[in-house]
């Protein structure tokens, strides 16, 4: 097991995570609940993302667009109680970062709930600059940005689109983000962006050249009905839960409880 925890009682800061670029690949997983967060901390995961993917994978919503700040604060609190010593990135939901003042109030709410930094989608340089100027650590996110994307197709396949994504990545870094999620872009584009930036890139469906990799925990654990093509499954907990419930039904039916 790669032990990337700073120590049993010191969690990573934005600065120590940034320093991992070029030294160690950064494993990041999402979490939404206390027991899963506890497991991830015990496994030595250095950074947990409480993503707005919670809407789709835990709340049964159609997309991340229905997720609110109240939902995010609730789940960040749950994750913090399970992982007191792990750096937590809290996702700013759609529109909660629409302008610098709104983003500042939203970010403060997520920090108060237990986040160490916030993530936001797209090249919102002014917003990122305002947050960083107030001492709030920001993770950027470009490539496929689910809050505004029309579909879940790979982004950056043709030359113009690749240029746009590379330019946006540069803008996000220049605005002061300390890390950048690159979602569902070609491996070659991720490699080029990773080489061009001083901050770590964390890929999801972006190949092995990024400085780290993030996956949605429900995909990793096999707790969904479908999985994105780029997500490996490391367990099949959906099946285990169904089988456990079936065994319980059998025992109760047979009065052997
Ligand atoms: O919300 C989320 O889980 C994310 C990851 C897919 C990067 O943004």
């Amino acid at each position: 097991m790669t032990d990337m925890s700073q120590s049993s009682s010191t969690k990573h800061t934005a600065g120590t995570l940034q320093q991992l670029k070029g030294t160690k690949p950064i494993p990041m997983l999402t979490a939404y609940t206390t027991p899963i967060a506890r497991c991830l901390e015990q496994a030595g995961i250095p950074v947990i993302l409480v993503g707005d993917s919670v809407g789709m994978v835990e709340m049964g919503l159609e997309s991340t667009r229905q997720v609110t700040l109240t939902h995010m604060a609730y789940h960040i609190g749950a994750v913090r109680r399970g992982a007191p010593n792990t750096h937590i990135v809290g996702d700013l939901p759609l529109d909660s970062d629409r302008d610098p003042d709104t983003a500042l109030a939203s970010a403060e709410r997520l920090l108060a709930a237990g986040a160490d930094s916030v993530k936001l989608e797209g090249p919102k340089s002014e917003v990122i600059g305002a947050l960083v100027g107030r001492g709030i650590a920001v993770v950027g996110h470009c490539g496929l940005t689910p809050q505004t994307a029309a579909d879940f197709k790979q982004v950056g396949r043709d030359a113009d689109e690749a240029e746009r994504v590379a330019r946006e990545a540069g803008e996000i870094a220049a605005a002061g983000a300390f890390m950048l999620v690159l979602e569902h872009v070609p491996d070659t584009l991720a490699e080029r962006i990773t080489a061009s930036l001083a901050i770590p890139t964390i890929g999801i469906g972006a190949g092995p050249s990024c400085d780290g990799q993030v996956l949605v925990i429900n995909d990793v654990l096999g707790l969904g009905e479908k999985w994105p093509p780029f997500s490996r499954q490391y367990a099949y907990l959906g099946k285990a839960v169904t089988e456990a419930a079936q065994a319980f039904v059998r025992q109760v039916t047979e009065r052997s409880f």
Side-chain angles (χ1 to χ4, degrees):
M1 180 179 85
T2 317
D3 183 9
M4 309 199 55
S5 53
Q6 292 262 279
S7 78
S8 58
S9 61
T10 325
K11 64 185 174 186
H12 273 284
T13 63
T16 61
L17 285 167
Q18 193 173 339
Q19 280 162 16
L20 292 175
K21 186 174 176 95
T23 62
K24 282 182 193 165
I26 304 168
M28 173 156 112
L29 286 170
T30 70
Y32 318 101
T33 61
T34 302
I36 294 290
R38 190 178 296 124
C39 294
L40 300 193
E41 181 160 293
Q42 279 168 9
I45 292 289
V47 51
I48 293 176
L49 169 65
V50 185
D52 60 2
S53 50
V54 67
M56 296 173 81
V57 302
E58 291 283 342
M59 298 168 67
L61 299 172
E62 274 291 300
S63 79
T64 60
R65 291 178 193 126
Q66 290 87 42
V67 174
T68 66
L69 261 186
T70 302
H71 295 143
M72 292 308 303
Y74 172 92
H75 286 281
I76 288 167
V79 169
R80 173 52 74 212
R81 289 186 284 280
N85 299 317
T86 303
H87 187 102
I88 293 176
V89 181
D91 229 353
L92 285 166
L94 179 67
D95 271 351
S96 71
D97 60 354
R98 61 183 168 274
D99 58 62
D101 286 345
T102 309
L104 198 53
S106 305
E108 277 168 355
R109 187 147 170 221
L110 299 193
L111 298 185
D116 297 294
S117 57
V118 297
K119 177 171 85 58
L120 58 88
E121 294 185 9
K124 302 186 180 105
S125 298
E126 203 190 336
V127 169
I128 296 171
L131 294 177
V132 173
R134 294 292 283 268
I136 298 174
V138 177
V139 178
H141 183 159
C142 69
L144 176 66
T145 47
Q147 289 175 2
T148 49
D151 54 47
F152 288 98
K153 284 197 200 118
Q154 194 180 49
V155 177
R157 282 197 200 172
D158 68 55
D160 285 351
E161 210 177 51
E163 275 318 305
R164 176 180 61 77
V165 176
R167 189 180 60 247
E168 290 179 359
E171 287 168 9
I172 291 168
F178 75 93
M179 205 154 74
L180 175 68
V181 170
L182 277 178
E183 182 165 354
H184 210 11
V185 297
D187 296 11
T188 48
L189 177 58
E191 188 174 3
R192 173 181 152 202
I193 292 172
T194 300
S196 73
L197 298 183
I199 60 170
T201 58
I202 308 291
I204 174 164
S209 303
C210 291
D211 298 300
Q213 167 84 342
V214 58
L215 287 177
V216 170
I217 190 70
N218 294 50
D219 298 337
V220 168
L221 298 179
L223 261 175
E225 283 175 326
K226 48 185 185 229
W227 288 268
F230 46 76
S231 181
R232 284 188 200 163
Q233 262 179 271
Y234 295 78
Y236 194 177
L237 293 197
K239 186 161 172 273
V241 172
T242 305
E243 285 172 0
Q246 284 168 337
F248 177 70
V249 168
R250 241 183 347 263
Q251 288 190 347
V252 173
T253 310
E254 291 162 359
R255 292 202 164 275
S256 59
F257 49 91

PDB file of all heavy atoms in Angstrom, residues 18 41 45-46 50 93 133 135 139 148-150 152 161 166 187 194 198 203 215-216 219 244 247 256:
ATOM      1  N   GLN A  18       0.379  19.965  -3.797  1.00  0.00           N
ATOM      2  CA  GLN A  18       0.998  20.531  -5.002  1.00  0.00           C
ATOM      3  C   GLN A  18       2.448  20.051  -5.147  1.00  0.00           C
ATOM      4  O   GLN A  18       2.915  19.771  -6.240  1.00  0.00           O
ATOM      5  CB  GLN A  18       0.938  22.060  -4.946  1.00  0.00           C
ATOM      6  CG  GLN A  18       1.266  22.688  -6.284  1.00  0.00           C
ATOM      7  CD  GLN A  18       1.040  24.191  -6.301  1.00  0.00           C
ATOM      8  OE1 GLN A  18       0.307  24.730  -5.491  1.00  0.00           O
ATOM      9  NE2 GLN A  18       1.685  24.854  -7.233  1.00  0.00           N
ATOM     10  N   GLU A  41      -9.642   6.817   4.556  1.00  0.00           N
ATOM     11  CA  GLU A  41      -8.552   7.333   5.406  1.00  0.00           C
ATOM     12  C   GLU A  41      -7.672   6.180   5.891  1.00  0.00           C
ATOM     13  O   GLU A  41      -6.447   6.264   5.859  1.00  0.00           O
ATOM     14  CB  GLU A  41      -9.119   8.129   6.588  1.00  0.00           C
ATOM     15  CG  GLU A  41      -8.014   8.693   7.466  1.00  0.00           C
ATOM     16  CD  GLU A  41      -8.473   9.856   8.342  1.00  0.00           C
ATOM     17  OE1 GLU A  41      -8.807  10.922   7.810  1.00  0.00           O
ATOM     18  OE2 GLU A  41      -8.492   9.667   9.572  1.00  0.00           O
ATOM     19  N   ILE A  45      -5.590   7.054   1.543  1.00  0.00           N
ATOM     20  CA  ILE A  45      -5.926   7.972   0.436  1.00  0.00           C
ATOM     21  C   ILE A  45      -5.618   9.403   0.911  1.00  0.00           C
ATOM     22  O   ILE A  45      -6.152   9.826   1.931  1.00  0.00           O
ATOM     23  CB  ILE A  45      -7.431   7.832   0.073  1.00  0.00           C
ATOM     24  CG1 ILE A  45      -7.716   6.462  -0.552  1.00  0.00           C
ATOM     25  CG2 ILE A  45      -7.898   8.962  -0.837  1.00  0.00           C
ATOM     26  CD1 ILE A  45      -7.173   6.267  -1.949  1.00  0.00           C
ATOM     27  N   PRO A  46      -4.759  10.135   0.202  1.00  0.00           N
ATOM     28  CA  PRO A  46      -4.356  11.451   0.722  1.00  0.00           C
ATOM     29  C   PRO A  46      -5.382  12.559   0.530  1.00  0.00           C
ATOM     30  O   PRO A  46      -5.345  13.568   1.229  1.00  0.00           O
ATOM     31  CB  PRO A  46      -3.094  11.768  -0.080  1.00  0.00           C
ATOM     32  CG  PRO A  46      -3.241  10.987  -1.339  1.00  0.00           C
ATOM     33  CD  PRO A  46      -4.025   9.756  -1.008  1.00  0.00           C
ATOM     34  N   VAL A  50     -15.435  15.275  -2.180  1.00  0.00           N
ATOM     35  CA  VAL A  50     -16.892  15.154  -2.020  1.00  0.00           C
ATOM     36  C   VAL A  50     -17.472  15.844  -3.253  1.00  0.00           C
ATOM     37  O   VAL A  50     -17.597  17.071  -3.304  1.00  0.00           O
ATOM     38  CB  VAL A  50     -17.386  15.786  -0.706  1.00  0.00           C
ATOM     39  CG1 VAL A  50     -18.886  15.516  -0.534  1.00  0.00           C
ATOM     40  CG2 VAL A  50     -16.622  15.230   0.489  1.00  0.00           C
ATOM     41  N   PRO A  93     -21.460  23.313  -6.214  1.00  0.00           N
ATOM     42  CA  PRO A  93     -22.469  22.893  -7.189  1.00  0.00           C
ATOM     43  C   PRO A  93     -22.808  23.992  -8.190  1.00  0.00           C
ATOM     44  O   PRO A  93     -22.433  25.160  -8.007  1.00  0.00           O
ATOM     45  CB  PRO A  93     -23.677  22.534  -6.309  1.00  0.00           C
ATOM     46  CG  PRO A  93     -23.484  23.243  -5.035  1.00  0.00           C
ATOM     47  CD  PRO A  93     -22.001  23.477  -4.853  1.00  0.00           C
ATOM     48  N   GLY A 133      -7.480  34.778  -3.472  1.00  0.00           N
ATOM     49  CA  GLY A 133      -7.135  36.047  -2.816  1.00  0.00           C
ATOM     50  C   GLY A 133      -7.625  36.111  -1.375  1.00  0.00           C
ATOM     51  O   GLY A 133      -7.058  36.818  -0.549  1.00  0.00           O
ATOM     52  N   GLY A 135      -7.610  33.482   0.512  1.00  0.00           N
ATOM     53  CA  GLY A 135      -6.953  32.376   1.214  1.00  0.00           C
ATOM     54  C   GLY A 135      -7.659  31.040   1.069  1.00  0.00           C
ATOM     55  O   GLY A 135      -7.388  30.101   1.837  1.00  0.00           O
ATOM     56  N   VAL A 139      -9.357  23.868  -6.431  1.00  0.00           N
ATOM     57  CA  VAL A 139      -9.037  22.854  -7.444  1.00  0.00           C
ATOM     58  C   VAL A 139      -9.859  23.197  -8.683  1.00  0.00           C
ATOM     59  O   VAL A 139     -11.070  23.404  -8.584  1.00  0.00           O
ATOM     60  CB  VAL A 139      -9.408  21.438  -6.928  1.00  0.00           C
ATOM     61  CG1 VAL A 139      -9.120  20.390  -7.994  1.00  0.00           C
ATOM     62  CG2 VAL A 139      -8.650  21.117  -5.643  1.00  0.00           C
ATOM     63  N   THR A 148     -22.287  21.626 -17.042  1.00  0.00           N
ATOM     64  CA  THR A 148     -22.755  22.385 -18.222  1.00  0.00           C
ATOM     65  C   THR A 148     -22.696  21.580 -19.523  1.00  0.00           C
ATOM     66  O   THR A 148     -23.164  22.062 -20.556  1.00  0.00           O
ATOM     67  CB  THR A 148     -21.910  23.667 -18.393  1.00  0.00           C
ATOM     68  OG1 THR A 148     -20.531  23.300 -18.302  1.00  0.00           O
ATOM     69  CG2 THR A 148     -22.237  24.699 -17.330  1.00  0.00           C
ATOM     70  N   ALA A 149     -22.150  20.372 -19.485  1.00  0.00           N
ATOM     71  CA  ALA A 149     -21.976  19.604 -20.729  1.00  0.00           C
ATOM     72  C   ALA A 149     -23.318  19.139 -21.285  1.00  0.00           C
ATOM     73  O   ALA A 149     -24.229  18.789 -20.528  1.00  0.00           O
ATOM     74  CB  ALA A 149     -21.079  18.400 -20.454  1.00  0.00           C
ATOM     75  N   ALA A 150     -23.404  19.108 -22.616  1.00  0.00           N
ATOM     76  CA  ALA A 150     -24.636  18.628 -23.255  1.00  0.00           C
ATOM     77  C   ALA A 150     -24.693  17.103 -23.227  1.00  0.00           C
ATOM     78  O   ALA A 150     -25.767  16.504 -23.245  1.00  0.00           O
ATOM     79  CB  ALA A 150     -24.690  19.122 -24.691  1.00  0.00           C
ATOM     80  N   PHE A 152     -21.924  13.276 -22.405  1.00  0.00           N
ATOM     81  CA  PHE A 152     -20.739  12.795 -21.677  1.00  0.00           C
ATOM     82  C   PHE A 152     -19.636  12.321 -22.627  1.00  0.00           C
ATOM     83  O   PHE A 152     -18.823  11.487 -22.272  1.00  0.00           O
ATOM     84  CB  PHE A 152     -21.134  11.705 -20.677  1.00  0.00           C
ATOM     85  CG  PHE A 152     -21.880  12.251 -19.486  1.00  0.00           C
ATOM     86  CD1 PHE A 152     -23.260  12.197 -19.426  1.00  0.00           C
ATOM     87  CD2 PHE A 152     -21.199  12.855 -18.437  1.00  0.00           C
ATOM     88  CE1 PHE A 152     -23.961  12.722 -18.342  1.00  0.00           C
ATOM     89  CE2 PHE A 152     -21.881  13.387 -17.347  1.00  0.00           C
ATOM     90  CZ  PHE A 152     -23.261  13.324 -17.293  1.00  0.00           C
ATOM     91  N   GLU A 161     -10.685  21.992 -30.399  1.00  0.00           N
ATOM     92  CA  GLU A 161     -11.189  21.728 -29.042  1.00  0.00           C
ATOM     93  C   GLU A 161     -10.023  21.429 -28.086  1.00  0.00           C
ATOM     94  O   GLU A 161     -10.030  21.840 -26.920  1.00  0.00           O
ATOM     95  CB  GLU A 161     -12.178  20.559 -29.080  1.00  0.00           C
ATOM     96  CG  GLU A 161     -13.231  20.677 -28.016  1.00  0.00           C
ATOM     97  CD  GLU A 161     -14.246  19.564 -28.106  1.00  0.00           C
ATOM     98  OE1 GLU A 161     -13.855  18.373 -28.156  1.00  0.00           O
ATOM     99  OE2 GLU A 161     -15.440  19.883 -28.113  1.00  0.00           O
ATOM    100  N   ALA A 166      -6.610  23.058 -23.550  1.00  0.00           N
ATOM    101  CA  ALA A 166      -5.248  23.378 -23.072  1.00  0.00           C
ATOM    102  C   ALA A 166      -5.180  24.838 -22.603  1.00  0.00           C
ATOM    103  O   ALA A 166      -4.567  25.149 -21.569  1.00  0.00           O
ATOM    104  CB  ALA A 166      -4.223  23.123 -24.174  1.00  0.00           C
ATOM    105  N   ASP A 187      -5.691  10.907 -24.008  1.00  0.00           N
ATOM    106  CA  ASP A 187      -4.461  10.713 -23.221  1.00  0.00           C
ATOM    107  C   ASP A 187      -3.371  11.699 -23.648  1.00  0.00           C
ATOM    108  O   ASP A 187      -2.658  12.249 -22.804  1.00  0.00           O
ATOM    109  CB  ASP A 187      -3.906   9.292 -23.415  1.00  0.00           C
ATOM    110  CG  ASP A 187      -4.865   8.228 -22.896  1.00  0.00           C
ATOM    111  OD1 ASP A 187      -6.021   8.563 -22.580  1.00  0.00           O
ATOM    112  OD2 ASP A 187      -4.441   7.054 -22.813  1.00  0.00           O
ATOM    113  N   THR A 194      -0.401  18.219 -18.677  1.00  0.00           N
ATOM    114  CA  THR A 194       0.346  17.870 -17.455  1.00  0.00           C
ATOM    115  C   THR A 194       1.782  18.386 -17.546  1.00  0.00           C
ATOM    116  O   THR A 194       2.315  18.949 -16.586  1.00  0.00           O
ATOM    117  CB  THR A 194       0.314  16.341 -17.241  1.00  0.00           C
ATOM    118  OG1 THR A 194      -1.057  15.946 -17.106  1.00  0.00           O
ATOM    119  CG2 THR A 194       1.090  15.917 -16.006  1.00  0.00           C
ATOM    120  N   ALA A 198       2.575  23.787 -13.765  1.00  0.00           N
ATOM    121  CA  ALA A 198       3.354  23.586 -12.531  1.00  0.00           C
ATOM    122  C   ALA A 198       2.501  22.927 -11.442  1.00  0.00           C
ATOM    123  O   ALA A 198       3.021  22.496 -10.424  1.00  0.00           O
ATOM    124  CB  ALA A 198       3.878  24.922 -12.036  1.00  0.00           C
ATOM    125  N   GLY A 203      -6.391  13.058 -13.317  1.00  0.00           N
ATOM    126  CA  GLY A 203      -7.209  12.621 -14.446  1.00  0.00           C
ATOM    127  C   GLY A 203      -8.363  11.729 -14.029  1.00  0.00           C
ATOM    128  O   GLY A 203      -8.326  11.041 -13.005  1.00  0.00           O
ATOM    129  N   LEU A 215     -11.366   8.663  -9.100  1.00  0.00           N
ATOM    130  CA  LEU A 215     -12.525   7.891  -9.549  1.00  0.00           C
ATOM    131  C   LEU A 215     -13.665   8.103  -8.569  1.00  0.00           C
ATOM    132  O   LEU A 215     -13.444   8.461  -7.403  1.00  0.00           O
ATOM    133  CB  LEU A 215     -12.194   6.392  -9.646  1.00  0.00           C
ATOM    134  CG  LEU A 215     -11.300   5.960 -10.814  1.00  0.00           C
ATOM    135  CD1 LEU A 215     -11.017   4.457 -10.731  1.00  0.00           C
ATOM    136  CD2 LEU A 215     -11.900   6.301 -12.179  1.00  0.00           C
ATOM    137  N   VAL A 216     -14.860   7.877  -9.070  1.00  0.00           N
ATOM    138  CA  VAL A 216     -16.060   7.947  -8.236  1.00  0.00           C
ATOM    139  C   VAL A 216     -16.140   6.627  -7.448  1.00  0.00           C
ATOM    140  O   VAL A 216     -16.096   5.540  -8.025  1.00  0.00           O
ATOM    141  CB  VAL A 216     -17.304   8.161  -9.125  1.00  0.00           C
ATOM    142  CG1 VAL A 216     -18.586   8.004  -8.336  1.00  0.00           C
ATOM    143  CG2 VAL A 216     -17.236   9.541  -9.789  1.00  0.00           C
ATOM    144  N   ASP A 219     -18.332   3.712  -8.445  1.00  0.00           N
ATOM    145  CA  ASP A 219     -17.853   2.965  -9.611  1.00  0.00           C
ATOM    146  C   ASP A 219     -16.761   1.987  -9.190  1.00  0.00           C
ATOM    147  O   ASP A 219     -16.753   0.823  -9.592  1.00  0.00           O
ATOM    148  CB  ASP A 219     -17.293   3.920 -10.673  1.00  0.00           C
ATOM    149  CG  ASP A 219     -18.352   4.886 -11.200  1.00  0.00           C
ATOM    150  OD1 ASP A 219     -19.558   4.572 -11.093  1.00  0.00           O
ATOM    151  OD2 ASP A 219     -17.967   5.956 -11.701  1.00  0.00           O
ATOM    152  N   ALA A 244     -26.395 -10.563   0.565  1.00  0.00           N
ATOM    153  CA  ALA A 244     -26.570 -10.500   2.023  1.00  0.00           C
ATOM    154  C   ALA A 244     -28.045 -10.311   2.362  1.00  0.00           C
ATOM    155  O   ALA A 244     -28.581 -10.976   3.274  1.00  0.00           O
ATOM    156  CB  ALA A 244     -25.746  -9.356   2.599  1.00  0.00           C
ATOM    157  N   ALA A 247     -29.895 -13.545   1.815  1.00  0.00           N
ATOM    158  CA  ALA A 247     -29.638 -14.510   2.900  1.00  0.00           C
ATOM    159  C   ALA A 247     -30.483 -14.146   4.116  1.00  0.00           C
ATOM    160  O   ALA A 247     -31.052 -15.022   4.789  1.00  0.00           O
ATOM    161  CB  ALA A 247     -28.152 -14.502   3.261  1.00  0.00           C
ATOM    162  N   SER A 256     -35.114 -18.678  11.228  1.00  0.00           N
ATOM    163  CA  SER A 256     -33.826 -19.084  11.799  1.00  0.00           C
ATOM    164  C   SER A 256     -33.018 -17.858  12.208  1.00  0.00           C
ATOM    165  O   SER A 256     -31.798 -17.861  12.133  1.00  0.00           O
ATOM    166  CB  SER A 256     -33.052 -19.930  10.781  1.00  0.00           C
ATOM    167  OG  SER A 256     -32.847 -19.197   9.603  1.00  0.00           O
TER     168      SER A 256
END
